[in-house]
Amino acid sequence: MIDFTLSKAQQAAREYAHQVALEEMRPISLECDRTEEIPESFFWNMQRRYWGGAAAQARAFGQDEGVRQENLLTVISQEEMAWGDAALATAIPGPGLAAPPILSQGTPEQQARFLGIYMDGQLHWGALALTEPGIGSDVAGMSTTAVLDGDEWVINGHKHYITNGARADLIVTFATIDKRLGREGIRPFVVPKGTPGLIVGRIEKKMGLRASQTAELIFDNCRIPKENMLAGRGEKKEGFKAAMGTLDATRPMVGAMAVGIARAAYEAAWEWLREELPAGYPPQQRRAWEEELEELGQEIEMARFLVWRAAWMADRRIPNSKEASMSKAYAGALVMKATATAVRITAPGEDSERKQLIQKWFRDAKVFDIFEGTAQIQRLVIARRLFPNIDIP
Amino acid sequence: MLDFAPTEEQEEIRKLAQSLALDHLRPHARRAEAEQDSSTELRLTLAQTGLTSPFPEEYGGSGPLEAVTYTLIAEELAYGDPGLALNIIGSLMGPLTVWLAGSHEQQQQYLPPFCNPTSGYLQRGSLAFAESTGTYRLADIRLQARRTSEGYLLTGTKRDVVHGQRADLRVVLARLVENENENEDKVAEGKLCAFVLPSPLEGLSIQAEAEKLGLQAAPSARYRFTQAQVPASALLGEAGSSGVVRAATLYQILRAALACGTARAAFEYCSAYARERIAFGRPIVSYQGIAFMIAEMAMKLDAARLLTWRAACSWDRGEADETLIREAESAQRQAIKMAQAATTDAIQVMGGAGFMQDHPAEMWMRDAAAME
Ligand SMILES: Cc1cc2nc3c(=O)[nH]c(=O)nc-3n(C[C@H](O)[C@H](O)[C@H](O)COP(=O)(O)OP(=O)(O)OC[C@H]3O[C@@H](n4cnc5c(N)ncnc54)[C@H](O)[C@@H]3O)c2cc1C
């Protein structure tokens, strides 16, 4: 039955995450953005209050409700986390983007071995390395190679723009085992931190999401055990499928983050109109802004519903590539519009912390049109699903 | 708990509505546009399904439906043809308002003719909502109903009243005011109420709307009330009751669903065209300039549909009036805006062919524009 009300678990996911975002993220948001550094206390607080608190409680309620809803619970809480601070949200300890490929392509033994690391209560991160200086959108054209030498894979290549790349305990790295095979030669490998030959290069300076770590990784004869290849089920296209399947799960999460930032900007713009609008503004101007914000509010709701629907499909194991891309594409465009609108509306008047936050969110927003597949790539995915028999290059 | 799948029963009803849309609405769309009405056969066919009499069984109806179900039906009908769909929904809104806002007595008086198995399909209802001074938002309703010793005096205008001219049941939305010559703001704050108009009514002039831009298959009229006196019994239920808000928001939600259906028709039609049409040796949809436009259409249609479903869900759960108004008006605004963009882009996808009356795209673009 079509239903837009949140269950107890879903409500818990939202409320607890919101509390954490409000109390642990907002107070340090501007400072972390300025310094591009995150205090260690934040990580421990997240360990305790997010994993040990909000997420655990939502999951516990969810188990009582008897339906699979991990994806829904995640997008609901991701929206709140990004409402708090999207950069800090990417730095919450945990396997992060490394988890989906391990879960979808790892054998049970590999899942236990790799994900077990994250259960010891210490601070651990994960990363996913697809992008290279030479290729981004065109993942299939990657040039990082993996060659089997005895009991070891030897990885050589160059990845960049890798979120949490320098702090990750495990990096799921995609490489080709045979370039002639094109996309079918691509496989995911789990590379542990500290492996000889894994070199952390530069940490990028960015327009936004500055507290999020974006690293360059160089693989120079980097040797990992044979058992670290995730292609447990051995089918031909498994590797590439793993990369793409991962995106179906993570795109709604990225969409949810975009919704969270959009909502933060939207709320702040309303508050500014109520509390900071300089005296003497003509009422028609104010009314025009209010109408613009009302419209934006409606678009935020639509973006959220697209995100929820894509996550709900994932929970039901309904193929959702098209819907996942819709949620990401819509939310990615919306967050730019929302933050740009908030910057414009709040331009007059004195400087304030609220305005600085709005400007930060504006800088953060643009990346949501880029990572996890650009706006164009999302539209390609949607179009290819709509027209499966037509070659849309 | 969040859920995005219709029930099995709703899915069956949706499929029924879809087959009616494809077999009986789409093929007759151009004729209905020219004749500016639906045919009697079409009304009979629809009545036989029971979809057009969703009233309580005690009045002979086929039983009330949930708003979500009706939203699914309305989208399908508009997917067949927006004008005919509005013709059907517009008629239905008259008796639906009586059912939602009227007293038991009023229901007994007005509903049975619409449920009559032999003649019910000939009945036309109507609900007058929008006015010459505003849009389909409740805040824009300015038709004044001033209480007098004999009943109420109505003053104001209505536009876009589907079946307004020939209706067997005319319902109008108005604002209750206490004093003569109230200023605009006071009128806007007056309690929302609905009246059934006696026929004939002195002081009411009705004029058919001619030369319409779109939605011609739904004949409509303008009303002008100059001190029209209606009896106290004409007021449906009580002024300011939730029933009136539920009727008005249901219309808004269904108008949103009609917009979704219109957009879907345009989206599917231009998709099929783009798959077949070859330019520079390739199907035009293989060019990103076309493919992305269509992807955008699909995405925004889904977004607006979800917003519409959410409003319908809240309606079914009986949410507070303010929530219903906010959600229904959001859905209406976004869905109509989306349909206007989708139908316009559908023509662009088809190039010159889209501009020709050989294809329905140009009609859908005019229909969507006429939904304002
Ligand atoms: C802050 C940040 C964090 C990131 N984190 C990670 C991470 O953790 N792991 C990781 O692997 N990557 C990560 N990335 C990389 C990101 O996924 C890529 O930047 C993205 O996929 C785009 O690739 P590119 O930058 O090489 O752009 P390109 O692929 O070079 O694209 C340039 C332009 O061409 C367009 N384009 C490309 N192909 C087509 C086509 N077929 N049709 C139409 N237009 C096309 C694109 O849309 C874009 O507008 C991150 C990026 C950023 C900015």
Side-chain angles (χ1 to χ4, degrees), chain A residues 128 130-131 136-137 161-163 367 370-371 374 376 380, chain B residues 288:
Chain A
L128 176 73
L130 280 166
T131 309
S137 304
Y161 301 170
I162 308 307
T163 302
V367 78
I370 297 170
F371 62 7
T374 64
Q376 288 75 22
L380 260 186
Chain B
Q288 290 188 354

Side-chain angles (χ1 to χ4, degrees), chain A residues 1-5 10 65 67 295 298 301-302 305 308-309 312 326 376 379 387 390-391 393, chain B residues 1-5 275 285-286 288 292 296 298-299 302-303 306 309-310 313 317 330 333-334 337:
Chain A
M1 194 184 86
I2 298 173
D3 190 356
F4 285 77
T5 55
Q10 292 158 358
E65 289 171 2
V67 291
E295 175 96 17
Q298 295 168 4
E301 292 193 307
M302 290 194 283
F305 296 157
W308 283 356
R309 184 200 38 184
W312 172 86
M326 283 181 175
Q376 288 75 22
R379 280 160 181 79
F387 302 97
I390 301 228
D391 179 31
Chain B
M1 164 162 323
L2 293 175
D3 195 336
F4 298 93
R275 213 181 278 129
V285 76
S286 70
Q288 290 188 354
F292 286 10
E296 193 87 11
M299 172 175 89
D302 280 13
L306 289 167
W309 283 2
R310 193 273 306 262
C313 280
R317 275 203 327 280
S330 302
R333 157 140 188 83
Q334 294 300 332
K337 197 171 115 181

Side-chain angles (χ1 to χ4, degrees), chain A residues 122-139:
Chain A
Q122 298 303 305
L123 299 179
H124 299 290
W125 290 267
L128 176 73
L130 280 166
T131 309
E132 302 178 355
I135 62 104
S137 304
D138 181 16
V139 197

